[in-house]
Amino acid sequence: MTRQALDLTINGESHQLMVEPHWSLLHVLRQELGMTGTKANCLEAECGVCTVLLDGKAVNSCILLAEQARGRSIVTIEGLGDPEHLHPLQAAFIEHGAVQCGYCIPGMILTAKSFLDERPGRVPSEAEVREALSGTLCRCTGYQKIVDAVIAAARQMNSWPETARRAS
């Protein structure tokens, strides 16, 4: 195959790559850029562990061609926060013991971020959180701690000043 030039904006940084036309965004993130926080599992958009944010919306990177992300903003778990400045969702997952093996957690957190960002100023119900996360599978848990963490993060994010909410 003939590789093509592709510029991607990932976690606010520009990346110039040569990619095969059939490469998924997941492949580019993990294999070409070494961003292994985005996990690979089913490769059929069934499990949600490959979730990233594309222009703020949760998408399955395993079925999205890298070319489809040209000119768009991509956020991976590596770009959400860092050890010194955790995103409220990351902090809540730790505080509530929602991280077990950790494999599904990047996808859960990014899916939850997209969900909460679509509902600023609201604390969702347990049923709403369960529905929002239903596309990300976890084999280690009964989901209760994850749901509790998302609700706690929503409460914290809603207590932020408006300017801080827009920046998250």
Side-chain angles (χ1 to χ4, degrees):
M1 285 269 157
T2 304
R3 291 191 179 194
Q4 304 168 336
L6 178 62
D7 292 338
L8 294 176
T9 302
I10 305 167
N11 302 327
E13 295 181 14
S14 180
H15 296 269
Q16 291 78 39
L17 304 149
M18 296 298 291
V19 303
E20 298 283 345
H22 65 277
W23 283 355
S24 68
L25 180 58
L26 175 65
H27 172 86
V28 168
L29 292 171
R30 289 183 60 82
Q31 305 305 317
E32 303 302 309
L33 297 173
M35 295 182 180
T36 57
T38 304
K39 304 302 183 208
N41 190 46
C42 74
L43 305 179
E44 296 177 347
E46 294 290 333
C47 69
V49 301
C50 67
T51 299
V52 298
L53 300 180
L54 186 65
D55 295 334
K57 304 292 182 200
V59 298
N60 292 308
S61 65
C62 71
I63 61 165
L64 184 75
L65 292 175
E67 175 62 37
Q68 292 174 285
R70 181 188 299 270
R72 302 173 78 184
S73 172
I74 302 158
V75 175
T76 68
I77 196 68
E78 291 94 343
L80 194 57
D82 62 62
E84 300 297 317
H85 304 94
L86 294 177
H87 185 278
L89 279 161
Q90 292 169 312
F93 270 61
I94 293 167
E95 181 180 318
H96 288 268
V99 178
Q100 289 190 22
C101 85
Y103 201 76
C104 69
I105 297 306
M108 288 277 187
I109 288 174
L110 291 172
T111 299
K113 182 176 184 331
S114 175
F115 168 70
L116 294 177
D117 286 351
E118 291 172 0
R119 292 152 187 79
R122 281 195 57 228
V123 175
S125 69
E126 183 174 313
E128 289 172 315
V129 173
R130 286 182 183 278
E131 175 67 23
L133 298 179
S134 65
T136 305
L137 304 179
C138 177
R139 295 183 178 183
C140 296
T141 181
Y143 297 92
Q144 188 60 52
K145 292 179 180 183
I146 293 169
V147 171
D148 292 344
V150 172
I151 291 170
R155 285 190 181 110
Q156 180 184 357
M157 291 166 67
N158 288 336
S159 69
W160 288 1
E162 184 64 26
T163 54
R165 267 198 297 259
R166 276 187 254 124
S168 70

